[in-house]
Amino acid sequence: VKSQGRNGYSFFDPTMEAKSLERILMENEMRKAIDQQQFHVYYQPKMDISSQKLTGMEALVRWVHPELGVISPGKFIPIAEESGMILELGEWILREACKQNKKWHDQGHMLKVSVNLSARQIFQKDLVERIIGVLEEVGLSAQWLELEITESIFVKMEEATAVLKQLREAGIHISIDDFGTGYSSFSYIKSLPVDTIKIDASFIRDIHHNQESQAIVKAIVTIADSLQMNVIAEGIELDDQAEALQQNGCAHGQGYLFSRPLATDDFEQFLAERN
Ligand code: C2E
Ligand code: CA
Ligand code: CA
Ligand code: CA
């Protein structure tokens, strides 16, 4: 096994061994992290661009490790997905976000919270029952929860569609994240059980000086309108981008221009100032 030459497999490949070791350590750390409450949910405001009114917020997980500091989800979510840990972590995030939103409702802030769901979660057998269970447990009505899914789940079209249908029947909203970057195309969007299209940040980055991006956004907005879906843009950092979006019919947005993702205390301050 050891000497299969340069391109062959070897159990002693030092780079492979290092990777899997790092992964094992990471998984152990993650399991501890849930118990020790090292994960935190941040909330990024979603806005009506012209009125600057808050319409909802997206829950984004943060990992504050005692020695390594803040680890970004871009780093640990893929590992959690591969190992299956995402099922446990994802349900913790969902419960946390729903619990927090219920508190805000009790304070009179009737907002919808959006929670990211990974493909692995969508295909979890008892997902729908679990989510309904969490909503009942915390006392939040389904209409105040939105799930953000990515186009990657439509590789298994029939299965994914069936799950989304059940979620919508329960009253939960569905949004397609990163729209325009993946598997999606205009040809099948009409048959998808979704409420909202979230235009990927890559089309927003240059929208204020790129006609192609403007045309794409306009086309997405037109199709969404005719299918009676909502549209939101993500990654808005500049006034010029917000303006270009409005000119092309996109009324809702999210991005650093309005606010970064905020810890609960900071989000409450944002609520007090803005609503
Ligand atoms: P995403 O769902 O597309 O989230 C948007 C990302 O863009 C977030 O990064 C957010 O902080 C960042 N962002 C927001 N506004 C701006 C802006 O104006 N400019 C720029 N440059 N970035 C902006 P974050 O929080 O690091 O999350 C990265 C990705 O990790 C997310 O992408 C999502 O795929 C995943 N993720 C985060 N939290 C969760 C979670 O709770 N569950 C799951 N399954 N995935 C998550
Ligand atoms: Ca998202
Ligand atoms: Ca996104
Ligand atoms: Ca993304």
Side-chain angles (χ1 to χ4, degrees):
V1 193
K2 197 176 168 192
S3 55
Q4 283 192 14
R6 274 195 157 252
N7 300 313
Y9 289 105
S10 161
F11 289 148
F12 300 104
D13 179 343
T15 59
M16 266 187 61
E17 193 166 284
K19 251 186 219 159
S20 57
L21 184 60
E22 187 186 323
R23 184 144 300 175
I24 290 163
L25 291 174
M26 193 75 139
E27 283 173 29
N28 283 335
E29 283 295 296
M30 265 191 239
R31 202 152 284 130
K32 261 196 287 176
I34 295 182
D35 292 340
Q36 297 177 2
Q37 301 181 323
Q38 293 170 15
F39 288 109
H40 301 267
V41 180
Y42 275 48
Y43 299 90
Q44 185 176 38
K46 297 192 180 197
M47 311 291 292
D48 180 308
I49 298 174
S50 71
S51 71
Q52 303 264 315
K53 276 254 159 73
L54 197 64
T55 60
M57 59 278 180
E58 177 177 6
L60 292 158
V61 67
R62 299 286 177 264
W63 183 1
V64 185
H65 189 277
E67 282 120 46
L68 301 174
V70 181
I71 307 171
S72 81
K75 212 163 199 178
F76 65 84
I77 291 285
I79 297 175
E81 280 171 350
E82 246 179 79
S83 68
M85 276 285 295
I86 192 68
L87 298 183
E88 204 179 321
L89 180 58
E91 188 166 325
W92 180 85
I93 295 164
L94 176 80
R95 181 174 291 106
E96 200 62 23
C98 289
K99 218 191 283 172
Q100 184 58 62
N101 198 28
K102 168 70 174 150
K103 278 187 202 162
W104 286 328
H105 277 225
D106 290 345
Q107 295 167 13
H109 303 290
M110 307 307 282
L111 297 165
K112 194 159 59 189
V113 68
S114 304
V115 176
N116 291 285
L117 220 62
S118 84
R120 196 77 185 237
Q121 288 174 277
I122 283 286
F123 299 117
Q124 184 179 17
K125 239 205 215 116
D126 49 355
L127 175 83
V128 181
E129 290 83 354
R130 278 175 177 273
I131 293 179
I132 293 170
V134 168
L135 287 170
E136 282 172 354
E137 179 192 322
V138 309
L140 185 72
S141 158
Q143 61 175 310
W144 302 110
L145 173 64
E146 178 174 74
L147 299 172
E148 296 194 4
I149 48 107
T150 61
E151 301 159 287
S152 66
I153 67 168
F154 297 117
V155 175
K156 293 191 204 164
M157 191 63 161
E158 271 167 43
E159 266 182 77
T161 303
V163 176
L164 296 187
K165 274 199 181 129
Q166 287 178 56
L167 290 168
R168 284 183 97 202
E169 270 158 25
I172 297 162
H173 292 253
I174 306 290
S175 168
I176 309 189
D177 206 350
D178 304 341
F179 187 81
T181 60
Y183 183 77
S184 78
S185 75
F186 290 134
S187 64
Y188 79 79
I189 180 102
K190 67 174 191 301
S191 57
L192 295 181
V194 298
D195 305 281
T196 300
I197 293 175
K198 194 169 193 181
I199 307 172
D200 189 66
S202 59
F203 302 112
I204 313 309
R205 204 159 294 132
D206 61 0
I207 190 171
H208 49 309
H209 51 68
N210 183 316
Q211 294 203 340
E212 274 92 48
S213 290
Q214 287 164 22
I216 288 168
V217 166
K218 204 179 218 163
I220 295 174
V221 169
T222 303
I223 290 193
D225 276 350
S226 68
L227 296 173
Q228 285 164 325
M229 293 177 185
N230 307 305
V231 188
I232 184 166
E234 68 176 349
I236 307 171
E237 296 182 352
L238 308 169
D239 273 322
D240 286 353
Q241 292 166 337
E243 204 167 300
L245 279 164
Q246 285 181 285
Q247 279 166 7
N248 288 284
C250 181
H252 293 97
Q254 189 182 341
Y256 296 166
L257 174 65
F258 310 110
S259 170
R260 292 189 170 257
L262 302 169
T264 48
D265 289 0
D266 294 327
F267 190 83
E268 279 175 12
Q269 201 170 330
F270 188 94
L271 275 174
E273 286 164 11
R274 291 299 190 95
N275 254 18

